[in-house]
Every structure is written in structure tokens, then in C-alpha cells.
Amino acid sequence: MLNELKNIARDAGAAIMDIYQSDDFDVQKKGDDSPLTKADLAAHNVICDGLRALDTQYPIISEESSDISWEQRKHWCRYWLVDPLDGTKEFIKRNGEFTVNIALIEKGVPIMGVVYAPVLDAMYTGERDRGAFLNGKAISVATKEPDTLRVVGSRSHPSQETIDWLDALGKPYEMVPMGSSLKICLVAEGKADIYPRLGPTCEWDTGAAHAVLSAAGGQVITVAGEPLLYNQKEAYLNPHFIAR
């Protein structure tokens, strides 16, 4: 199934790139004032069609089709969690730091995930008990904490609360700017030590990269120290979290 997910992610990436290389993004504003482009919708359609064609069928929650009642989805044991284009702001800026994200969630835990950055041709995959990979090569989190923490942070929306939290650690650190779910993936491949997210995110923003990080030996916890779980409440908004 993981190989099929990789193929679906590549197909979605190709649909995104067709629009990325054009001059017509058709940028709109969603209800929360976040941007939406033709590429978001094209990738959404490719991914949903691909998942529905699989032999094993699970429900789908996508950022672009998330209007599913809590009464319906709270009973799901397994489901797909999809962000067709994470980093739409990076897409519009044309800096290449955007991703296709597909995760399989089981009882609130991401057990399989694919994060594909089409401009970089970087395919991150992770599966519970089977490890994490970047373009087929095994990756793992850093095994030793350095004297200076490498802290990955948002390129589009840095948070003053995050800066204050880091200063309170009392440890030297350097910032590693990155967009989209690639921030968590950098921790998974050992290129960063920690990603504190003390700002708003939704479950589809993190599910796939969370699966990759877990498979690479890392973890995503809330600031209270509890595991970050999915589909445990009516709202899709994540609590503040630390990926490490």
C-alpha cells in the first residue's frame, strides 16, 4: 500500500507542477482567509480518486473536503488524512517548499505517511515498525543533542511565542527556516533537532509528516507532554505541539 501511496503522491505532484509552471494560479481566499489555488483542488481530486481506487477502502478527510460531521467520523477506526498542497503560501511565492501529504490514521495515531515535495523531488515515507525513508534511503532522527539546538521554524509565519519559548530553554539555538510539513521531515532526517509549533495548525497539516517522524524514531507531543492524537474531538485544530 505504501508504494501505491507514493504513486498517488507523485501524480498529485505532477498535477501541482502543471499549474506551478503556469501563470494562472487562480488564487482565492477561503473562509479562514487562507489562500486556495487551482493546484490545491487539482491535487485533491487526484489523491481522492487514487485512494478510492485502492483495494482497501477507508474514509477520507482532506483539507478541501473536511465538512464531515463529528457524529459520523468519531466512530472511524482507520481513515485517510490528506493535505493535497501544504504550504500554499510557499507555492504562491514559488520557493518550492510545499508538499503533498497523505497519512493513514489508526485509532488517533498516524501509522503510515507520505510527504512529497514535487519541486525538490523529495519523497519522505514512514510506516509503523518499518522505518522512515527519503527517496528510498533510510533516515532517522539525530541521536545526540548538540551544544547548539537546530530549531526548524516557519518561513511564512514565525511566532513571537515560539521565540519566547526557545529563549526560556536557556540553551543556545540556531533557526533553520523551512516551509510546510517539510519542517517535521527535517527533524525526521536528523537535519534539525526540534520543531516547536506554538501557533495554529490543523490535523491534515501534520498527519503525514508525523507518521514519518514517528517511524524515524521521533515523536510529536503537546506542550503538556501528551502524544498528539487525531480525530479525538470535533474541531480539526491541533493544540500547540513539539516535534522532536
Side-chain angles (χ1 to χ4, degrees):
M1 186 180 288
L2 187 59
N3 284 332
E4 292 176 301
L5 292 190
K6 289 164 65 176
N7 291 334
I8 293 171
R10 286 194 185 278
D11 290 344
I16 290 171
M17 291 304 295
D18 284 344
I19 298 168
Y20 187 69
Q21 293 164 351
S22 75
D23 293 322
D24 182 16
F25 290 177
D26 189 24
V27 181
Q28 306 171 30
K29 291 287 187 180
K30 294 194 286 189
D32 60 358
D33 208 35
S34 61
L36 175 71
T37 71
K38 288 197 301 185
D40 295 83
L41 299 175
H44 164 80
N45 290 331
V46 168
I47 293 169
C48 290
D49 288 347
L51 294 177
R52 292 184 184 118
L54 295 176
D55 291 337
T56 304
Q57 292 291 299
Y58 300 120
I60 303 170
I61 295 176
S62 169
E63 179 178 9
E64 309 312 335
S65 61
S66 59
D67 189 17
I68 304 168
S69 74
W70 171 236
E71 285 301 313
Q72 178 181 355
R73 60 184 172 84
K74 71 180 181 180
H75 301 293
W76 293 352
C77 176
R78 280 190 172 191
Y79 69 96
W80 297 112
L81 182 60
V82 174
D83 191 342
L85 200 171
D86 185 42
T88 301
K89 292 179 181 178
E90 319 306 332
F91 174 86
I92 294 170
K93 294 175 184 176
R94 295 182 185 267
N95 70 9
E97 295 175 3
F98 54 86
T99 56
V100 175
N101 299 263
I102 308 171
L104 181 61
I105 311 296
E106 180 183 81
K107 298 179 180 178
V109 177
I111 62 170
M112 181 186 299
V114 170
V115 177
Y116 180 53
V119 171
L120 308 175
D121 193 27
M123 178 74 74
Y124 293 89
T125 62
E127 187 175 1
R128 185 173 60 186
D129 300 327
R130 296 191 177 183
F133 299 84
L134 170 56
N135 292 343
K137 182 178 179 180
I139 58 174
S140 66
V141 295
T143 57
K144 182 179 179 181
E145 187 174 296
D147 293 334
T148 300
L149 276 178
R150 298 165 300 169
V151 181
V152 67
S154 173
R155 191 182 295 281
S156 290
H157 35 77
S159 161
Q160 183 61 45
E161 190 174 358
T162 300
I163 294 172
D164 294 341
W165 184 86
L166 288 168
D167 289 342
L169 290 179
K171 184 178 179 67
Y173 66 86
E174 60 182 3
M175 297 301 298
V176 182
M178 182 58 66
S180 75
S181 57
L182 289 171
K183 294 187 287 294
I184 297 177
C185 291
L186 284 188
V187 180
E189 63 173 311
K191 289 187 175 179
D193 302 298
I194 191 169
Y195 167 42
R197 179 64 186 207
L198 307 183
T201 59
C202 289
E203 294 182 0
W204 46 73
D205 294 317
T206 57
H210 187 165
V212 173
L213 179 58
S214 295
Q219 61 180 179
V220 184
I221 59 173
T222 69
V223 292
E226 300 294 329
L228 182 68
L229 298 175
Y230 296 78
N231 199 37
Q232 304 297 298
K233 58 190 186 312
E234 184 170 1
Y236 290 113
L237 196 66
N238 285 325
H240 294 176
F241 65 83
I242 312 296
R244 63 184 189 184

